[in-house]
Amino acid sequence: GVTGSACYLVTLDTVSGLDRDTHLQHTMGSSVRELVVVEVISASNQIILAYKDTHDLAVSDILVDTSSNTSYTITVINAEPQIIKL
């Protein structure tokens, strides 16, 4: 069988302070979901985010690192969820 994770590739206003395995919260209405940073691409302010629940992201959405209380704004969604084989 094939295992993998659904992932987004997004561009943020900054990736300063983000590392692999950072947990970010995204709120959509009354729904709060946790996403995990899989990879940080500093040169282009991009991150790959893995998530386990069906959850849509949009440009201008805010992702919050609750451990540092730092907010990151999505400026571009470069790729919608795809399966990355592990």
Side-chain angles (χ1 to χ4, degrees), residues 44-56:
S44 57
N45 280 345
Q46 293 178 314
I47 59 173
I48 297 173
L49 286 171
Y51 74 104
K52 295 178 183 175
D53 301 307
T54 303
H55 196 68
D56 292 326

Side-chain angles (χ1 to χ4, degrees), residues 44-75:
S44 57
N45 280 345
Q46 293 178 314
I47 59 173
I48 297 173
L49 286 171
Y51 74 104
K52 295 178 183 175
D53 301 307
T54 303
H55 196 68
D56 292 326
L57 297 177
V59 170
S60 298
D61 281 359
I62 306 293
L63 303 173
V64 178
D65 178 351
T66 57
S67 68
S68 66
N69 203 30
T70 304
S71 296
Y72 301 92
T73 302
I74 297 174
T75 59

